[in-house]
């Protein structure tokens, strides 16, 4: 019953325009509390991601046991997720999607997942918009944070448009609180492009 209520409230948020543009949503505390309650092997955060961002959850997050356990542990204390939307995975193409599914690439997929997760700290949108932040430390390593730009011609003359880019080119589409944490929906993968060099190999050089 609780899950059904949560899904209905999520749908209501969409109807009300919560997903129309990048913004930090201050949802009612009674809604947020549902995200911290574990249900069997999945908590509300995992259920939410599986329903709203299925490609990210199934292909990137779920195979990474370390990330899943960290988020379950810290759901009540704080976390930050950079979640590529379905359109972002559509841009990857069939070849890369199949590589994410391939069990041989579990180590690389786990590393990609690490770069999308800050497991023990909530970093809201207003912090990412700050002038003095140059990057954030994810479970995979440091990720650049900078202003997004638009206009110009082949990058020349482009101006800051008030948004945020994570990594090389992942723009935050929208942000919202979820329990004690925050989810930033992005339009591309945050992880370094160089990780794709190691798919279909047995081990990333230097990894344990």
């Amino acid at each position: 019953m609780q899950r059904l209520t949560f899904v209905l409230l999520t749908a209501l948020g969409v109807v009300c325009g919560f997903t129309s543009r990048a913004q930090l949503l201050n949802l009612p505390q009674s809604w947020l509390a549902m995200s911290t309650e574990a249900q069997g092997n999945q908590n509300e955060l995992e259920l939410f991601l599986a329903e709203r961002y299925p490609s990210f959850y199934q292909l990137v997050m779920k195979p990474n046991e370390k990330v899943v356990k960290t988020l379950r542990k810290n759901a009540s204390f704080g976390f930050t997720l950079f979640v590529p939307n379905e359109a972002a995975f559509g841009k990857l193409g069939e070849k890369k999607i199949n590589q994410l599914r391939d069990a041989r690439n579990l180590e690389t997929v786990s590393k990609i997942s690490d770069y999308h997760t800050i497991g023990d700290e909530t970093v809201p949108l207003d912090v990412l918009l700050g002038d003095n932040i140059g990057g954030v430390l994810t479970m995979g390593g440091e990720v650049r944070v900078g202003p997004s730009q638009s206009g110009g011609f082949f990058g020349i003359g482009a101006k800051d448009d008030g948004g945020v880019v994570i990594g090389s080119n992942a723009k935050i589409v929208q942000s919202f609180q979820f329990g004690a944490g925050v989810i930033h929906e992005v339009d591309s993968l945050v992880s370094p492009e160089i990780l794709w060099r190691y798919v279909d190999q047995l081990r990333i050089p230097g990894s344990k």
Side-chain angles (χ1 to χ4, degrees), residues 55-98:
S55 293
F56 171 77
Y57 178 72
Q58 294 293 341
L59 297 175
V60 177
M61 178 179 158
K62 189 176 179 180
N64 190 332
E65 185 176 351
K66 178 180 65 175
V67 163
V68 171
K69 287 184 176 180
T70 297
L71 291 173
R72 288 177 181 174
K73 177 182 177 181
N74 295 332
S76 301
F77 304 101
F79 64 89
T80 303
L81 277 177
F82 301 105
V83 182
N85 53 30
E86 291 302 293
F89 283 92
K91 291 188 297 185
L92 287 179
E94 184 178 357
K95 179 180 178 180
K96 286 186 175 180
I97 293 297
N98 288 334

Side-chain angles (χ1 to χ4, degrees), residues 88 91-92 143-149 164-173 186-193:
K91 291 188 297 185
L92 287 179
V143 174
R144 171 187 172 274
V145 176
S148 61
Q149 297 182 327
V164 181
V165 169
I166 309 297
S168 59
N169 64 347
K171 185 175 182 179
I172 293 181
V173 177
V186 290
D187 63 0
S188 183
L189 268 64
V190 168
S191 49
E193 185 70 19

Side-chain angles (χ1 to χ4, degrees), residues 90-177:
K91 291 188 297 185
L92 287 179
E94 184 178 357
K95 179 180 178 180
K96 286 186 175 180
I97 293 297
N98 288 334
Q99 289 173 325
L100 291 175
R101 292 193 178 107
D102 194 326
R104 294 175 299 173
N105 298 323
L106 177 60
E107 182 181 356
T108 303
V109 171
S110 295
K111 192 66 174 177
I112 291 173
S113 179
D114 287 344
Y115 273 102
H116 289 81
T117 310
I118 301 175
D120 57 0
E121 182 182 3
T122 299
V123 185
L125 184 60
D126 58 348
V127 172
L128 296 175
L129 286 168
D131 294 333
N132 297 323
I133 184 169
V136 291
L137 186 61
T138 70
M139 292 176 63
E142 187 173 3
V143 174
R144 171 187 172 274
V145 176
S148 61
Q149 297 182 327
S150 59
F153 183 72
F154 288 103
I156 300 175
K159 296 182 179 180
D160 294 356
D161 58 16
V164 181
V165 169
I166 309 297
S168 59
N169 64 347
K171 185 175 182 179
I172 293 181
V173 177
Q174 62 172 334
S175 301
F176 48 90
Q177 292 177 325

